[in-house]
């Protein structure tokens, strides 16, 4: 019975800490992506940009979270599509796509399954953990006492090639089915 009470107390502490952890994660995401091409150009974020500039920029946690929650609407793929389409340009130039949705280049593009009746959507996937120096889990690892295996698909449908103005290739970004990414 004591073990159950200890587990329950630990679970309660973890649940109580979730709002703070969520806010810290949201702040990191907002700050990391605030100066990207998408965040600085899309019309639906204009009120958010204005509110942040009227305060102390992105430095004050409370006002940044309040501004985000008050001024960032839900979005759909239509707002992202013109920015994603820049990766389809021939040639795809570094200055046109660098820091598009997050710092740097996407690690891959995931293609949606198109089960909603429309065409597949190309969604950029950035590996924030690698950029932050957080090690990734190995392909086979243990979490607590139970082993977990990760399924890996090395296939891709296309590769987006990003070039410098000189024509030098600076990045190759695979386009994968979502389960493969």
């Amino acid at each position: 019975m004591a073990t159950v009470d200890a587990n329950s107390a630990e679970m309660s502490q973890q649940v109580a800490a979730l709002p703070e952890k969520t806010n810290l994660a949201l702040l990191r995401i907002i700050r990391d992506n605030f100066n990207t091409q998408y965040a600085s150009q899309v019309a639906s974020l204009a009120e958010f940009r204005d509110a942040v500039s009227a305060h102390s920029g992105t430095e004050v946690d409370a006002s940044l979270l309040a501004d985000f929650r008050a001024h960032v609407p839900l979005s759909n793929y239509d707002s992202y599509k013109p920015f994603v389409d820049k990766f389809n340009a021939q040639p795809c130039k570094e200055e046109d796509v660098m820091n598009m949705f997050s710092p740097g280049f996407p690690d891959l593009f995931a293609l949606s399954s198109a089960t909603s009746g429309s065409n597949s959507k190309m969604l950029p996937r950035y590996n924030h953990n690698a950029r932050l120096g957080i090690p990734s889990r190995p392909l086979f690892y243990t979490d607590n006492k139970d082993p977990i295996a990760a399924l890996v698909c090395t296939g891709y449908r296309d590769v987006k090639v990003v070039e410098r103005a000189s024509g030098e290739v600076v990045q190759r970004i695979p386009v994968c089915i979502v389960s493969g990414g």
Side-chain angles (χ1 to χ4, degrees), residues 13 33 43 50 55 61 65 68 74 90 92 101 104 107 110 119 125 129 149 156 160 165 169-170 175:
Q13 289 174 344
N33 299 317
D50 291 344
H55 291 109
D61 293 356
L65 285 173
F68 179 84
L74 291 176
Q90 294 294 326
C92 176
F101 297 100
D107 293 286
N119 294 330
R125 172 71 170 92
N129 289 342
Y156 56 91
K160 300 298 176 187
V169 173
V170 292
V175 179

Side-chain angles (χ1 to χ4, degrees), residues 109-116 118-123 157 176-178:
F109 284 100
L111 285 178
S112 69
S113 64
T115 56
S116 62
S118 63
N119 294 330
S120 291
K121 295 168 181 70
M122 197 168 75
L123 307 163
R157 289 192 178 178
C176 310
I177 58 173
V178 173

